[in-house]
Amino acid sequence: MDTLYHQVADQVENLIRDGVYRDGERLPGVRVLSRQLGVSIATVLQAHQTLEGRGLLEPRERSGYFVRVPPVDAPEPAMSSHDAGPSPVSAREMTMDLCSDEERRLVPLATAVPHPDYLPIRQIQQASIWAARHGLDTLDYAFPGKSDFRRQVAQRMAALGVAVSPDEILATNGAQEAIILALRAVTEPGDIVAVESPSFPGILQALEIVGLKVIEIPAHPSEGLSLEGLQLAMEQWPIKACVAVTNHSNPMGMRLSDDHKRKLVALLADAGVPLIEDDIYGDLAHSGERPRPARSFDRSGNVIYCSSFSKTISPGLRLGWIAPGRYFSAVRQQKYFTNLATASLPQMAVAHFLEQGGYDRHLRGVRRVYRDATARLRSAVARYFPEGTAVTRPSGGFVVWVQLPDGCSGTTVYRLARERGINVAPGIMFSTTGKFENCLRLNAANPWTPRIEEAIRTLGQLATETRREGAAARL
């Protein structure tokens, strides 16, 4: 016969499975449950430990026990095929539509932007007030960046195994500008650049702005950029640069292993091809240590490191940085002639926020939030989408890549969803060659509400309908 605390654990588990206590919610206190269930406090504590072992509860210091429902299992998406050759880049109108004012009234599952609840708004407001009191220091040109900001960034990079001085860092208007500056520094219009596939639309837009061609290298959902595919492409085409998101990439959330990063850096260095590393999601690992950037394995200055605080502190600050390695002079010149400098006030505010330890405290909380949010979203997709749907398992960041079963059109789901007030990112935005028609990217960085869950349910219904319609058309 089961012991009493096992019976209590089973009883609470049934309440969780039935949705009485939902994922992310705090359980009633131990004394409350003791009275409700008619058992001792010790029995409740033993039941909690049992449920923790089952992966259904998570203790939080001085906060109690919180429900954590494991995601319904779903397969990972398949790896994309290798392209025949380079393609011209053309930005899609839907990419711009997703960021318009109209889209902000829709259920926000498309753009990779955190909900304000997940940003340190109050702390940044206070830091901005502190910075504003410095008067003229916030009003001058800050080229190549405020010294305090660059020093704080250099300290953080040193902790990741990247030894750079503040003088080797330039402040930028977000990571997007950093990537554009890097591309302009190492390529000429018409050159070919390698990118992982699927690729973040912002990177594809940057390539278009600079007038480059792209060759897409297949990326595995969990292992990342194919080194074999990259090697083959470099043997066939005069590739001038490679752009890669090495940690928790957008859209698949994959993270390159240290060994993979080391080999990628060596492969490109041997070929004399600069690596432009976008590490914007590196600070958002769901658990464990913050992953190292590829730049930490660079011994020749061939890696141009780009990042920003847009995903962690505030997208509106437009504050990033670039550590260009041996391309510093060329990148510095591009920055000067592009817009001269990045605004001083955000740099001073963020530098103060970092120095006071507020950033690390914020990260400790938000990493757990994004871990739970992506797991919850994956579970909902597995429940509501048609059989055969595959979902990525990101180890960091807050986006999820969904591969619909054969016969489902992600583009059709996107269009129908907009008519129902739901904003999603269709897979064709993440390629220049029309691939990923049966895919969607979803943003998990939103508080889980009935509105969000209903939107996921609706997307699953739309995917099922497009599959039926496609099957009927083939008859």
Side-chain angles (χ1 to χ4, degrees):
M1 183 175 180
D2 285 345
T3 58
L4 181 59
Y5 72 85
H6 275 120
Q7 295 177 28
V8 172
D10 292 341
Q11 187 175 351
V12 175
E13 178 175 350
N14 289 335
L15 293 173
I16 292 172
R17 299 295 186 189
D18 291 341
V20 176
Y21 299 123
R22 301 178 68 178
D23 194 17
E25 290 184 344
R26 181 181 180 276
L27 278 186
V30 172
R31 295 182 184 278
V32 174
L33 281 178
S34 172
R35 290 194 299 270
Q36 288 179 351
L37 302 176
V39 296
S40 68
I41 290 176
T43 298
V44 173
L45 289 172
Q46 287 179 303
H48 281 4
Q49 292 173 357
T50 300
L51 290 168
E52 185 182 351
R54 296 176 188 176
L56 292 171
L57 286 186
E58 177 185 51
R60 298 182 189 173
E61 189 175 357
R62 296 190 295 274
S63 297
Y65 281 85
F66 288 75
V67 176
R68 184 165 185 258
V69 179
V72 177
D73 192 29
E76 282 191 310
M79 187 171 177
S80 63
S81 59
H82 184 68
D83 289 323
S87 305
V89 184
S90 177
R92 303 176 187 276
E93 285 300 318
M94 62 176 63
T95 303
M96 303 301 297
D97 288 343
L98 294 181
C99 301
S100 68
D101 288 339
E102 178 186 353
E103 306 308 311
R104 295 171 187 169
R105 293 190 289 270
L106 306 180
V107 180
L109 296 174
T111 54
V113 176
H115 189 277
D117 285 359
Y118 301 156
L119 298 173
I121 294 175
R122 181 180 58 81
Q123 297 94 315
I124 289 300
Q125 288 174 335
Q126 294 173 341
S128 297
I129 293 171
W130 174 90
R133 291 173 179 159
H134 283 68
L136 293 178
D137 285 348
T138 65
L139 302 177
D140 64 347
Y141 285 125
F143 178 76
K146 300 297 287 186
S147 59
D148 285 350
F149 174 74
R150 291 183 291 132
R151 183 170 57 84
Q152 288 297 321
V153 168
Q155 288 180 7
R156 299 195 71 82
M157 293 186 67
L160 300 176
V162 181
V164 293
S165 76
D167 291 339
E168 297 174 280
I169 296 168
L170 292 90
T172 63
N173 298 307
Q176 184 81 352
E177 186 191 37
I179 293 169
I180 292 173
L181 294 175
L183 289 169
R184 285 178 171 159
V186 300
T187 65
E188 297 290 340
D191 283 346
I192 301 171
V193 174
V195 301
E196 57 203 342
S197 182
S199 184
F200 171 53
I203 290 176
L204 301 180
Q205 290 171 345
L207 292 165
E208 181 184 22
I209 289 171
V210 184
L212 301 170
K213 296 179 181 178
V214 62
I215 187 162
E216 298 184 18
I217 310 300
H220 189 275
S222 57
E223 298 173 9
L225 184 76
S226 168
L227 296 179
E228 294 78 9
L230 180 59
Q231 176 71 61
L232 178 62
M234 290 194 298
E235 292 172 355
Q236 294 180 317
W237 305 100
I239 293 175
K240 298 299 182 181
C242 176
V243 184
V245 184
T246 53
N247 292 313
H248 319 307
S249 70
N250 180 356
M252 291 201 293
M254 60 81 183
R255 165 183 165 183
L256 300 184
S257 68
D258 284 353
D259 185 57
H260 199 128
K261 292 170 185 169
R262 187 181 291 107
K263 291 177 180 177
L264 174 63
V265 169
L267 174 64
L268 292 171
D270 289 345
V273 176
L275 171 61
I276 301 173
E277 179 181 22
D278 181 356
D279 195 25
I280 193 171
Y281 291 97
D283 281 347
L284 295 179
H286 291 167
S287 61
E289 293 184 2
R290 200 271 196 204
R292 294 174 63 180
R295 175 67 185 265
S296 68
F297 302 102
D298 179 27
R299 300 294 176 265
S300 62
N302 193 54
V303 178
I304 303 176
Y305 181 88
C306 305
S307 192
S308 89
F309 293 107
S310 294
K311 307 301 182 183
T312 52
I313 295 179
S314 168
L317 288 178
R318 306 309 306 133
L319 183 57
W321 71 94
I322 183 169
R326 61 189 175 95
Y327 305 100
F328 180 85
S329 295
V331 171
R332 185 175 186 269
Q333 185 178 59
Q334 289 293 332
K335 172 63 178 177
Y336 184 84
F337 289 117
T338 298
N339 53 35
L340 184 58
T342 296
S344 298
L345 181 59
Q347 293 185 61
M348 294 178 64
V350 169
H352 182 68
F353 183 53
L354 295 173
E355 187 176 14
Q356 297 301 309
Y359 184 60
D360 287 317
R361 287 193 294 273
H362 166 67
L363 288 180
R364 283 194 290 272
V366 82
R367 285 169 174 164
R368 182 184 67 243
V369 168
Y370 289 146
R371 180 198 67 191
D372 294 346
T374 53
R376 189 181 301 118
L377 181 57
R378 288 185 58 250
S379 180
V381 169
R383 286 198 305 272
Y384 297 133
F385 277 56
E387 184 178 356
T389 298
V391 189
T392 52
R393 301 167 185 171
S395 57
F398 48 77
V399 294
V400 171
W401 184 248
V402 178
Q403 185 181 67
L404 303 172
D406 291 342
C408 291
S409 167
T411 305
T412 301
V413 171
Y414 154 77
R415 289 173 178 153
L416 294 174
R418 284 169 59 85
E419 295 174 2
R420 289 162 174 78
I422 304 169
N423 201 8
V424 296
I428 59 172
M429 290 174 51
F430 300 84
S431 170
T432 63
T433 60
K435 291 188 296 187
F436 311 116
E437 160 62 21
N438 66 326
C439 295
L440 300 169
R441 187 199 66 187
L442 302 178
N443 173 26
N446 294 292
W448 192 256
T449 63
R451 181 176 182 238
I452 294 289
E453 183 165 8
E454 183 58 31
I456 301 298
R457 187 197 306 270
T458 299
L459 291 175
Q461 292 171 347
L462 294 175
T464 301
E465 291 172 10
T466 64
R467 190 181 194 186
R468 290 194 193 118
E469 293 170 1
R474 290 192 296 271
L475 294 178

